[in-house]
Amino acid sequence: MGRLVVVSNRIPVATARVGATGGLAVALADVLARQDALWIGWNGDVAEDPDPPSSRRMRRTEIVGFGLTPQMHAGFYAGFSNAVLWPLFHYRLGLVEYRREDYAVYNEVNERFARIVRERLAPDDTLWVHDYHLIPLARILRRQGVTNRIGFFLHIPWPAAEVFRSLPVHRDLAEALAHYDLVGFQTASHAHQFADYLGSGEGPSVEAFGRRFEIGGFPIGIDTQQFAEMASKSASGEAGARLAESTGNRALVIGVDRLDHSKGLPNRIAGFANFLARNPDWHGRVQYLQIAPVSRGEVANYRALRRELDGMAGRLNGKYAEFDWTPLRYINRGYPRKALAAFYRQARIGLVTPLRDGMNLVAKEYVAAQQASDPGVLVLSEFAGAAAELSGALKVNPYDADAIGDAIAQGLAMPFEERIARWKADYATVEANTAGVWARGYLATLEAARGLIAA
Ligand code: GDG
């Protein structure tokens, strides 16, 4: 059996104790434990004379990382990936900053990825390419004669056809995707929107640009059991105990998100303000903790978002705080996973209201972390991929601050039996559809995909 070759923008970050952290490393842990693998990606280094590829081992996986020049980083990462594809695919067209030169650099950096992959590829290896940074990779490899099975998984949403068409290079990018054997999305609805753009019929097998390939929805999960155990064990740990002490008898509402435009943070703070305005009886009895570690600080409009949120948080507390109560604790720092798990478990309400999200793992982590005998309530955006699976959550339109305020009030007042019933349904889903199930399901489909060239 050949190796699994994972290609992603970033390679996992090594830490002394846990081996690797980072969403994808956690999601792939199960399949990486079962077979020899190679993982190729950017190591985070940006320099005029960047790091050449170098390799280290993480158990059965060889990890090859390399650096980028400032010019590559600007065009490929900050430019086309995060100032065009990310906002466009999350329906934030006003934030798109398209430049033809950035698309050229995006393709050049993909050529560099392809070179590094090809130098290490064996004939029976299976490639699994991750996310919007690397859409052109298979096309480059195919042009160089690579015939290996190649799969792609998009972690972010695929937009409606009309929205995708607003991208000047939409056709070229879609054509690039046709060079994979399997193009996976988080939900059936994203796959459907891609098929709609292609005009190719529903799938799973589609024909476009003279090629036949497969598409499908593969909802990503978490390691539910492990997360639940971590939440239960760390509940009485130092961070959990400190939070409990400082919260006292107040009902905790929690949000955990990278500081990102897609996460709907301004709308969420407006929703909480709305809840306070309409529910004076809750003043002094509720505590909203919003953890929002800064991300992509190098992209200009992320700095503007940060300023906006600083202002909103300050105004909310200025208006409602008392000498002994701060309604919102807004924090731009990250915490260890263990601490997060303990925090989720204490929260009566998990607030997950992205404007749009591929999946949203925080929603699943919140469900996994709850105490079975006294679970909290998940308030979830109907535009997160997770909404298709988590039928027990209170669904909200994240653009509607009134609805967010209402859902917080409803969640806080929810009768015990209803809380249990909703949580049970969601826990069963999250327990059945783990990260391991996702990865194995995707790879089995890729294995079976024919990937025949149509013409
Ligand atoms: C993309 C897609 C899709 C957050 N703050 C801290 C921290 N986190 C962890 C969370 C969670 C992860 O980061 C965030 O995952 P999400 O799924 O919520 O969102 P994205 O980062 O946007 O991920 C998304 C995902 O890819 C997977 O396919 O679900 O739709 O956008 O695990 O817990 N972790 C720690 N400290 C923090 O302060 N340790």
Side-chain angles (χ1 to χ4, degrees):
M1 191 171 93
R3 294 170 306 176
L4 174 64
V5 179
V6 174
V7 193
S8 66
N9 174 50
R10 287 296 299 269
I11 49 170
V13 180
T15 60
R17 238 157 20 96
V18 278
T21 56
L24 194 55
V26 175
L28 293 177
D30 184 72
V31 288
L32 294 181
R34 293 164 190 240
Q35 67 185 111
D36 292 330
L38 175 63
W39 189 332
I40 296 172
W42 174 35
N43 65 9
D45 167 55
V46 181
E48 283 302 341
D49 188 13
D51 293 344
S54 72
S55 116
R56 62 180 158 89
R57 286 206 80 81
M58 180 179 78
R59 293 182 274 274
R60 297 183 70 176
T61 307
E62 179 189 354
I63 300 181
V64 176
F66 53 89
L68 299 175
T69 66
Q71 183 246 356
M72 288 172 176
H73 179 260
F76 161 77
Y77 181 76
F80 192 74
S81 295
N82 285 317
V84 178
L85 294 181
W86 179 278
L88 182 84
F89 284 25
H90 289 92
Y91 290 0
R92 304 299 309 273
L93 270 74
L95 299 172
V96 171
E97 293 171 41
Y98 175 76
R99 273 181 294 270
R100 197 179 282 176
E101 309 82 75
D102 288 348
Y103 188 54
V105 177
Y106 174 80
N107 279 291
E108 282 162 26
V109 172
N110 270 270
E111 301 260 359
R112 180 164 151 76
F113 270 84
R115 208 160 40 241
I116 293 163
V117 169
R118 217 158 55 94
E119 282 164 6
R120 289 162 180 80
L121 197 64
D124 54 351
D125 288 344
T126 293
L127 276 111
W128 192 2
V129 179
H130 289 265
D131 235 358
Y132 57 102
H133 317 81
L134 299 174
I135 291 173
L137 196 65
R139 178 169 64 192
I140 298 166
L141 290 168
R142 296 284 184 231
R143 283 177 182 163
Q144 294 172 351
V146 169
T147 55
N148 298 52
R149 226 168 266 280
I150 316 182
F152 179 82
F153 184 76
L154 185 69
H155 289 259
I156 67 175
W158 184 270
E162 278 305 304
V163 174
F164 184 57
R165 280 193 201 102
S166 64
L167 178 66
V169 292
H170 64 88
R171 209 185 134 76
D172 191 54
L173 268 191
E175 200 266 344
L177 280 173
H179 289 74
Y180 289 94
D181 296 299
L182 171 65
V183 179
F185 301 91
Q186 296 274 21
T187 67
S189 140
H190 300 151
H192 171 82
Q193 302 203 123
F194 182 53
D196 178 41
Y197 168 83
L198 295 175
S200 62
E202 275 302 279
S205 176
V206 296
E207 213 175 306
F209 304 104
R211 306 185 70 91
R212 176 172 291 284
F213 58 105
E214 291 202 9
I215 63 171
F218 300 86
I220 196 169
I222 61 170
D223 188 336
T224 308
Q225 198 108 42
Q226 190 216 24
F227 202 86
E229 278 164 21
M230 186 162 69
S232 141
K233 276 203 201 114
S234 56
S236 54
E238 201 219 324
R242 275 175 56 193
L243 178 64
E245 195 193 320
S246 68
T247 306
N249 291 329
R250 294 181 176 123
L252 183 68
V253 176
I254 196 167
V256 175
D257 311 72
R258 285 185 305 99
L259 204 164
D260 190 278
H261 296 285
S262 65
K263 302 297 181 185
L265 290 164
N267 308 50
R268 195 181 309 169
I269 292 178
F272 183 65
N274 183 294
F275 163 76
L276 291 177
R278 289 195 284 160
N279 296 277
D281 51 317
W282 275 103
H283 291 192
R285 296 170 51 222
V286 67
Q287 174 72 68
Y288 173 20
L289 172 63
Q290 177 62 55
I291 296 173
V294 174
S295 88
R296 302 179 193 161
E298 65 274 56
V299 181
N301 56 39
Y302 280 75
R303 293 195 292 273
L305 174 65
R306 190 172 175 189
R307 278 194 300 278
E308 181 187 359
L309 290 167
D310 288 347
M312 288 187 79
R315 280 191 296 279
L316 183 136
N317 281 330
K319 183 166 178 186
Y320 291 104
E322 286 284 350
F323 62 89
D324 59 351
W325 175 53
T326 310
L328 168 60
R329 295 184 196 167
Y330 171 66
I331 302 172
N332 291 137
R333 183 182 316 162
Y335 288 93
R337 262 178 102 63
K338 262 177 27 189
L340 285 188
F343 296 170
Y344 290 138
R345 193 175 174 91
Q346 285 178 37
R348 308 293 333 150
I349 306 274
L351 261 192
V352 183
T353 60
L355 301 179
R356 211 167 141 74
D357 219 325
M359 175 53 61
N360 196 297
L361 294 179
V362 169
K364 295 188 170 181
E365 291 165 0
Y366 178 77
V367 169
Q370 296 309 300
Q371 211 174 329
S373 57
D374 189 18
V377 177
L378 176 64
V379 173
L380 179 62
S381 162
E382 61 183 295
F383 306 129
E389 289 174 89
L390 302 179
S391 57
L394 288 180
K395 303 284 165 49
V396 291
N397 180 328
Y399 293 93
D400 185 350
D402 291 317
I404 295 174
D406 286 351
I408 295 172
Q410 187 187 343
L412 288 174
M414 190 179 284
F416 179 72
E417 289 72 27
E418 184 180 350
R419 259 198 290 138
I420 294 270
R422 285 175 178 271
W423 173 77
K424 268 195 178 155
D426 285 348
Y427 190 84
T429 305
V430 174
E431 195 181 29
N433 210 353
T434 60
V437 167
W438 165 77
R440 289 195 299 275
Y442 179 90
L443 288 171
T445 310
L446 175 58
E447 186 63 34
R450 283 161 306 153
L452 296 178
I453 296 175

